[in-house]
Amino acid sequence: MRVKEKPVVLIVDDQEQNVELLEAFLLPFGYKILTAASGEEALERLAGNSVDLLLLDVRMPGMDGYEVCRRIRADAAHRKLPIIMVTALQDAEDRRMGSEAGCDDFISKPIDKKALFGRVKAMLEVYTTE
């Protein structure tokens, strides 16, 4: 996977204020942002765009983040896409489920801007040197 000059980050969250916050944090660092308000919409965006990293909410109506993650990992075209789950969930069981679904990392809500940028940057670096 090669990262473009402006890496593309897909933010998936059913809460518009969460999407806006993540977008506001990442835009100044030069990322191109795509958004989706549901798991179904996220899969549609992936099919039609070149995405370098996914920030994925866990709890969404309809298809939750775990299912989105499982479907992405089952798709050969996106199997290695870095996925960071953004969640208010702190329970070890929830994190285990995320790991089993195939996510690469977690960021806890409320979002810490420096932690978010550090994780996104590190994840993009790891996946572009493979």
Side-chain angles (χ1 to χ4, degrees):
M1 179 185 293
R2 288 280 190 253
V3 174
K4 301 168 249 359
E5 195 170 302
K6 275 187 107 168
V8 178
V9 177
L10 175 57
I11 299 170
V12 184
D13 197 307
D14 61 311
Q15 300 295 316
E16 187 176 342
Q17 65 271 24
N18 293 337
V19 172
E20 290 172 356
L21 179 66
L22 289 166
E23 190 171 15
F25 283 170
L26 293 173
L27 277 175
F29 293 103
Y31 295 105
K32 180 179 177 190
I33 305 298
L34 298 175
T35 64
S38 68
E40 293 85 354
E41 188 179 353
L43 296 175
E44 289 172 15
R45 291 257 191 274
L46 272 178
N49 294 283
S50 178
V51 173
D52 298 300
L53 184 134
L54 183 65
L55 291 174
L56 179 62
D57 184 30
V58 174
R59 299 283 184 231
M60 296 182 288
M63 187 185 309
D64 67 16
Y66 303 128
E67 182 60 23
V68 172
C69 199
R70 281 189 287 274
R71 289 186 186 200
I72 290 169
R73 293 300 180 233
D75 177 5
H78 298 104
R79 186 168 289 135
K80 293 191 176 202
L81 176 69
I83 300 173
I84 301 174
M85 286 193 162
V86 182
T87 180
L89 303 172
Q90 298 294 323
D91 188 288
E93 178 67 10
D94 293 316
R95 290 184 180 251
R96 182 193 61 74
M97 288 173 57
S99 294
E100 286 180 359
C103 85
D104 299 292
D105 202 353
F106 295 89
I107 294 177
S108 296
K109 294 177 185 177
I111 304 296
D112 176 271
K113 184 177 181 177
K114 288 180 184 177
L116 171 69
F117 179 68
R119 290 220 173 108
V120 167
K121 184 176 183 237
M123 195 67 58
L124 286 169
E125 287 174 0
V126 166
Y127 280 84
T128 57
T129 59
E130 288 187 345

